[in-house]
Amino acid sequence: MSTVKPAPSELISIADLYQSVRARTLEIVAPLEIEDYVIQTAEFMSPPRWHIGHTSWFFETVLQKFQPGYQTYREDFLFYFNSYYEGFGARIERPKRGTRSRPTVAETKKYRAHIDEQMTRFIETVSSRDDAGEILSIVRLGLEHEMQHQELLVYDIKHLLCDQFDAPIKAAPKVVESVGGMVEIEGGLFELGYSAARDGCESRPVGTGMPALRFAWDNEKPAHKVWLEDFSIDRAPVSVGDYLEFINDGGYQNFRWWHSAGWEKVNTEHWQAPLYWEQHQGEWMIRDFAGLHRVVDKAGEPVSHVSFLEASAYAKWAGKRLPTEAEWEKAATWSRSVNSKQDFPWGVSPPDESHANLFENGLWSVAPIGSFPAGQTTTGCHQMIGDVWEWTTSDYVPYPGFQSEFDEYNDKWFVGQKVLRGGSFATPRIHIRSTYRNFFYPHERWMIGGFRCAK
Ligand SMILES: [Fe+2]
């Protein structure tokens, strides 16, 4: 349990964090050609140009609110780069983001540079203000928002270009351990969610210094007690090889495994396999950033790009079920050795290259199961952080006692979506927590979603 105040070495100034996060967005899009920035390949994705402008628009709303005399850069940009915020006025409909060639990519990058210049100067002046705490919180939130868009950029660039994108891919780690079977987790009262007290951050420093890892979304709070029955959970995410067995057993042809909504998708969208799987001469292949691969060569990796509907069908076929988010969180954070909840599966230290496959690892892909033994829980569950966001059966609804901390951010989505946990290979290290609640609609599969089963 981490109750100590962060050491100075753990502190990262908000100015430094601003520079590094903003720079990473541009690093992600750097290999794109100019034509790639404006294309929208599906209603659910956004053109890269839109992401780099929208994340700047977010900081412009901060300048408009807090910087006296700030002049709006261009009124028409407010219309194109707003996403869904009713409170910020009219905006282009999401499916139409790719129907315009203006603002141009050059204009968008110029806008971004302008916002960075303004924000850098603004942040320098903040520490002397009475509302410094409020401003630093909103800047930090803007940076967390930008990290969410960095991950979305990876999904969208994959949908746009896949193996045509020249991603700077590093070599995959080696499998160190064979991981299979399930572990039993004891039930009882469990404290679900993010606790500032447990995290030692009730008194967040005000000024330019801000602890690097002490942030949580409002939807992770308040921590509250839930009752869990004893349960078992898979030690590893469901693999490509496991999932291929479901396909080969006629899983997509048999209504009995599917929710009604899932069976309807199978029939209307003609689903036969996860997204990015292709059949070549009767053999299943997977296309990713690195190219086209035989599924049998990927058998030991976590399956990804499956919807909640597919994950549920697999689980039923396998005689199991998906975990609830409370079960997932207990499995990920409960330490048998110290008999309490800890920040991460492996303990209290922030994620590094040995623990989990997150964005900074540079794989641009899931890693083989068993290649992160240092990241396992005390009960032996592997890769709960990183690789794939894991579907749970839990509906994305507010925790009891929820208080909204930012209008129209998390609370307007509290209907019809499912919770996913743990982060993916596209999630930045500083962005992930064991209590993080991501959410998508049950049919969505362009994001990096996988799962593990419970019983
Ligand atoms: Fe956004």
Side-chain angles (χ1 to χ4, degrees):
M1 183 150 53
S2 149
T3 50
V4 281
K5 290 272 185 286
S9 60
E10 276 187 295
L11 294 174
I12 181 168
S13 83
I14 197 77
D16 288 348
L17 190 62
Y18 184 90
Q19 299 302 337
S20 66
V21 171
R22 296 286 284 171
R24 183 164 53 215
T25 302
L26 294 183
E27 280 163 27
I28 292 170
V29 297
L32 294 175
E33 297 295 340
I34 202 82
E35 292 83 355
D36 304 328
Y37 279 91
V38 294
I39 300 288
Q40 186 167 22
T41 48
E43 288 200 357
F44 50 75
M45 73 79 83
S46 299
R49 176 232 359 216
W50 183 84
H51 285 289
I52 62 173
H54 166 70
T55 47
S56 303
W57 166 86
F58 192 99
F59 286 111
E60 186 164 42
T61 67
V62 176
L63 291 165
Q64 285 167 332
K65 185 170 177 192
F66 292 102
Q67 170 84 294
Y70 177 78
Q71 298 281 323
T72 296
Y73 185 76
R74 281 217 353 218
E75 291 291 335
D76 55 330
F77 282 22
L78 304 181
F79 177 79
Y80 184 74
F81 289 125
N82 180 1
S83 51
Y84 57 69
Y85 298 90
E86 304 286 344
F88 289 105
R91 66 218 169 270
I92 191 164
E93 289 167 61
R94 180 177 171 156
K96 293 189 176 163
R97 287 172 189 164
T99 62
R100 293 181 174 219
S101 55
R102 305 296 167 95
T104 64
V105 177
E107 284 172 330
T108 306
K109 287 189 170 170
K110 214 172 140 195
Y111 172 53
R112 192 174 170 90
H114 171 82
I115 297 297
D116 281 345
E117 197 191 312
Q118 294 282 320
M119 280 299 296
T120 303
R121 254 190 277 153
F122 174 65
I123 290 169
E124 280 170 15
T125 67
V126 167
S127 59
S128 59
R129 292 175 58 144
D130 292 342
D131 53 0
E134 186 189 355
I135 293 171
L136 289 181
S137 292
I138 187 101
V139 173
R140 179 64 196 259
L141 186 129
L143 294 171
E144 297 292 333
H145 168 255
E146 180 131 359
M147 287 188 264
Q148 291 179 323
H149 278 277
Q150 288 168 353
E151 179 151 5
L152 289 169
L153 263 169
V154 174
Y155 304 166
D156 289 352
I157 291 171
K158 188 168 183 179
H159 202 262
L160 179 73
L161 291 167
C162 209
D163 53 344
Q164 291 176 286
F165 181 68
D166 193 15
I169 301 171
K170 290 193 187 148
K174 296 266 174 291
V175 176
V176 184
E177 204 178 317
S178 154
V179 184
M182 303 181 90
V183 293
E184 282 172 32
I185 309 280
E186 217 178 291
L189 275 183
F190 175 67
E191 194 179 65
L192 177 65
Y194 179 86
S195 162
R198 217 182 52 74
D199 209 7
C201 71
E202 294 133 309
S203 53
R204 174 174 294 177
V206 174
T208 51
M210 182 172 271
L213 286 167
R214 311 298 177 197
F215 173 89
W217 294 108
D218 51 8
N219 62 18
E220 299 167 55
K221 301 181 248 183
H224 58 286
K225 290 185 182 62
V226 294
W227 178 261
L228 294 177
E229 298 297 328
D230 296 347
F231 64 99
S232 303
I233 192 162
D234 287 343
R235 292 184 63 215
V238 170
S239 70
V240 165
D242 298 332
Y243 202 83
L244 183 63
E245 281 181 42
F246 169 63
I247 295 174
N248 287 342
D249 195 39
Y252 281 78
Q253 283 81 48
N254 193 338
F255 68 89
R256 67 186 300 171
W257 311 128
W258 297 81
H259 290 128
S260 175
W263 189 239
E264 196 185 316
K265 280 285 174 192
V266 166
N267 287 297
T268 57
E269 308 281 328
H270 310 292
W271 285 354
Q272 294 184 67
L275 187 62
Y276 299 116
W277 286 42
E278 303 172 12
Q279 223 166 13
H280 291 261
Q281 279 121 34
E283 187 185 0
W284 282 111
M285 312 276 281
I286 295 176
R287 196 178 292 278
D288 64 15
F289 283 113
L292 189 63
H293 317 267
R294 299 175 67 207
V295 159
V296 289
D297 294 334
K298 295 251 163 202
E301 296 180 5
V303 70
S304 58
H305 297 292
V306 289
S307 61
F308 171 82
L309 301 168
E310 289 161 297
S312 303
Y314 173 93
K316 190 170 182 186
W317 169 83
K320 299 179 183 173
R321 61 178 175 82
L322 297 181
T324 65
E325 64 173 319
E327 287 172 335
W328 190 96
E329 189 173 308
K330 177 149 191 185
T333 61
W334 191 258
S335 166
R336 240 172 222 172
S337 45
V338 294
N339 202 31
S340 75
K341 191 173 170 177
Q342 54 186 15
D343 289 351
F344 290 104
W346 54 85
V348 294
S349 55
D352 67 24
E353 197 158 16
S354 72
H355 295 129
N357 177 18
L358 294 159
F359 183 79
E360 288 85 343
N361 298 48
L363 304 188
W364 293 77
S365 166
V366 288
I369 291 164
S371 52
F372 290 92
Q376 67 184 295
T377 63
T378 54
T379 51
C381 291
H382 286 239
Q383 283 153 285
M384 296 197 82
I385 297 291
D387 286 298
V388 289
W389 285 99
E390 299 183 16
W391 286 107
T392 73
T393 52
S394 297
D395 290 321
Y396 177 60
V397 293
Y399 285 160
F402 168 81
Q403 284 189 309
S404 178
E405 292 174 12
F406 191 73
D407 286 345
E408 295 192 68
Y409 204 97
N410 286 313
D411 51 343
K412 75 189 261 173
W413 304 109
F414 280 144
V415 64
Q417 307 201 53
K418 289 288 182 184
V419 173
L420 300 93
R421 294 299 201 101
S424 79
F425 68 79
T427 311
R429 279 181 197 153
I430 194 179
H431 187 64
I432 195 62
R433 282 171 304 287
S434 300
T435 56
Y436 196 117
R437 306 173 79 201
N438 201 352
F439 49 93
F440 282 100
Y441 290 101
H443 67 276
E444 290 186 289
R445 52 186 210 159
W446 105 110
M447 69 291 177
I448 303 158
F451 63 105
R452 75 181 67 216
C453 295
K455 226 174 176 172

